Amino acid sequence: MERLLASQALADVLAHEPRARVVEMLRIIQAEQRAAKTPAPQDAGWYAAEVAARLERADTPSLIPVINATGVVLHTNLGRAPLAACAIDAIMRVAAGYSNLEYDVAAGKRGSRYDHCATLLTSLTGAEAALVVNNNAAALVLVLNTIAQGAGVLLSRGELVEIGDSFRVAEIVERSGASLIEVGATNRTHRTDYEERLGAARAILKVHPSNYRTSGFVSEVSAEELAPLAHSAGLPLIYDLGSGLIESLEDLGLPHEPTARTALADGADVVTMSGDKLLGGPQAGIIVGRADLIERMRRNPLCRALRVDKLTIAALEATLQCYVRGTARRELPALRMIAATLAEIEQRARSVSEQLLAAGLAADVDAGASAIGGGAYPGVELPTALIAVQRAGTSARQLEEQLRSGTPPLLARIAGERVVLDLRTVLPEHEPALIDRIVNAG
Ligand SMILES: *Cc1c(COP(=O)(O)O)cnc(C)c1O
């Protein structure tokens, strides 16, 4: 070690790296050599190059931007909804420095972080009150813990959903201190199933099935039917809406889905939803509903543990303002991507494929389908134009890997022997980078 540190090769590394870091890296390398029982190289130059390479890798951020050409708009692995320019601006301009996060400027005294988005949310949904927490899973925990800790919650067996990576509704109910009372069958649940167990319950929970659909011999009880039943027994109806639709998208040809406003109008007392799915904003859990229940949630000590941070509040407020201004479809990238027409995408695909052809690649434009993702509109396919790329002497699998392993990673799909790219989910300003990555792959 002393010999290495005294060498000219290591001196060059030590000139711009703290000694302790270099020593630590050398120790790790030597420990690996001992463990692998490989003969240790004697050359100080080898160690210097190895230390420098490892330090550079360690300094590369782990979280990096990628180009999403998969055609899945709300891709959970890729951070769900991309933020609107106004939301990004709000994070930088408002939340990055000092702000009135918990300060009432007019009164000159303490304020609440929960007040910032509340008025926007109540006016957009028709709710009496609103509360924003860390994410929808946290929202559900807070709602159930506040309303039904130590008591039963009725939930249809058809709604015992697993959303993805470790989120199962049944487990969330139990962890929030309530006990689950399953009613009905997997495919069919009737009003009478709830009615029979009303006496044992503190609340009725309805969960949007999000990422799957049932068909055939099926029936469920709507929120509209459940609400009077719950209220007749003095119980609240809690509706986990999942994706958080603020405005209907039926005019785009998408199937009917409840919005937060219609769920409340149907009689739900509390509605929960995500901020970063169809709503098109930052990760957040949005709770809207009855003022007395929301007030109890705000006072629940768990609320502090699940609280939303200032970056989210800034981005969410800016996102919600797009809905108020009536510009959501234009300003929110996720909605803009969903609303993009086949003709628009085809035009972009043709222009990109021409540039790829000019660079000597085989690139066709083919009909295909994009998906919305994020547990919204399962099975719905949006017609799109795919760019199918091939390179002589490179298999589709190799090309896909080359695109994925460069900077920024370009994520595409493989269809048959070709790599296909869907520009629906590529921001127009990223097209030059996309072309550059394909032309210079490998
Ligand atoms: C996505 C989803 C959740 C979890 O929301 P997060 O914001 O990811 O915590 C809960 N319930 C339903 C119905 C969902 O679709």
Side-chain angles (χ1 to χ4, degrees):
M1 177 69 76
E2 285 313 315
R3 182 185 65 82
L4 285 175
L5 288 169
S7 70
Q8 183 52 49
L10 263 301
D12 294 342
V13 181
L14 286 165
H16 49 86
E17 288 288 351
R19 187 179 175 86
R21 258 195 117 191
V22 175
V23 169
E24 191 198 342
M25 213 41 106
L26 282 170
R27 288 222 169 92
I28 292 170
I29 294 167
Q30 290 178 334
E32 283 174 10
Q33 289 167 345
R34 276 194 299 276
K37 299 198 169 57
T38 49
Q42 296 302 307
D43 175 14
W46 181 89
Y47 285 92
E50 185 66 17
V51 167
R54 287 184 186 222
L55 289 176
E56 193 183 323
R57 248 177 288 149
D59 290 343
T60 307
S62 167
L63 185 64
I64 54 170
V66 304
I67 302 177
N68 174 14
T70 65
V72 182
V73 177
L74 301 167
H75 200 305
T76 296
N77 301 150
L78 307 182
R80 291 191 183 156
L83 293 181
C86 59
I88 296 165
D89 178 60
I91 290 175
M92 296 194 301
R93 198 173 36 80
V94 182
Y98 290 123
S99 64
N100 64 338
L101 180 66
E102 294 187 343
Y103 188 69
D104 181 337
V105 175
K109 61 181 175 58
R110 195 177 198 291
S112 167
R113 71 175 62 219
Y114 299 113
D115 289 339
H116 296 291
C117 294
T119 310
L120 282 167
L121 282 168
T122 53
S123 73
L124 286 169
T125 63
E128 286 175 10
L131 178 62
V132 180
V133 292
N134 184 50
N135 61 3
N136 192 24
L140 207 52
V141 167
L142 182 62
V143 169
L144 291 166
N145 180 268
T146 304
I147 293 177
Q149 189 181 23
V153 173
L154 302 188
L155 177 66
S156 163
R157 291 198 171 89
E159 297 171 6
L160 285 168
V161 192
E162 176 177 308
I163 307 295
D165 198 28
S166 73
F167 180 96
R168 285 186 174 163
V169 170
E171 288 168 357
I172 292 283
V173 173
E174 298 288 345
R175 287 292 170 133
S176 55
S179 54
L180 187 64
I181 304 174
E182 299 178 18
V183 299
T186 307
N187 57 330
R188 285 168 74 82
T189 300
H190 308 286
R191 189 191 142 92
T192 48
D193 297 321
Y194 289 95
E195 225 158 21
E196 280 161 15
R197 305 301 305 274
L198 271 184
R202 182 76 53 82
I204 298 182
L205 173 63
K206 184 167 179 62
V207 177
H208 191 289
S210 289
N211 48 10
Y212 76 102
R213 268 193 315 198
T214 52
S215 62
F217 191 53
V218 295
S219 71
E220 62 165 318
V221 188
S222 67
E224 203 176 353
E225 279 178 276
L226 277 181
L229 189 66
H231 299 158
S232 72
L235 309 180
L237 172 64
I238 302 162
Y239 194 172
D240 175 14
L241 210 51
S243 219
L245 205 52
I246 296 291
E247 291 174 359
S248 165
L249 299 175
E250 277 171 80
D251 62 301
L252 298 174
L254 291 168
H256 173 80
E257 280 288 334
T259 63
R261 181 181 285 278
T262 63
L264 290 166
D266 283 346
D269 298 274
V270 175
V271 168
T272 69
M273 58 195 169
S274 295
D276 55 354
K277 293 184 180 173
L278 284 176
L279 193 142
Q283 177 190 306
I286 296 168
I287 308 170
V288 289
R290 256 169 55 192
D292 60 324
L293 297 174
I294 301 259
E295 183 53 34
R296 279 170 56 199
M297 291 169 208
R298 270 175 81 144
R299 286 203 306 262
N300 185 334
L302 260 187
C303 188
R304 176 65 171 77
L306 306 174
R307 84 176 181 184
V308 63
D309 92 307
K310 59 185 179 180
L311 306 185
T312 304
I313 294 172
L316 183 62
E317 183 172 35
T319 302
L320 295 171
Q321 275 162 346
C322 296
Y323 285 97
V324 172
R325 283 197 295 270
T327 57
R329 295 240 185 127
R330 216 168 49 236
E331 290 199 74
L332 305 181
L335 291 188
R336 201 163 60 216
M337 288 170 180
I338 292 168
T341 64
L342 176 58
E344 283 164 29
I345 299 169
E346 196 168 343
Q347 194 183 6
R348 289 175 59 197
R350 293 214 178 280
S351 145
V352 168
S353 85
E354 273 160 29
Q355 295 176 68
L356 293 173
L357 287 171
L361 282 120
D364 299 326
V365 176
D366 283 350
S370 326
I372 292 177
Y377 295 104
V380 169
E381 296 190 331
L382 306 174
T384 194
L386 299 171
I387 305 170
V389 192
Q390 277 175 298
R391 165 172 284 138
T394 308
S395 72
R397 196 162 291 282
Q398 284 170 329
L399 182 57
E400 184 274 339
E401 211 244 293
Q402 287 170 358
L403 297 178
R404 181 159 40 82
S405 47
T407 306
L410 169 55
L411 307 179
R413 285 184 281 162
I414 294 177
E417 246 320 289
R418 299 187 305 179
V419 172
V420 295
L421 302 122
D422 189 344
L423 294 185
R424 182 186 293 279
T425 50
V426 176
L427 299 167
E429 58 266 35
H430 292 160
E431 272 175 24
L434 171 136
I435 293 167
D436 180 68
R437 284 301 333 282
I438 299 171
V439 170
N440 297 310

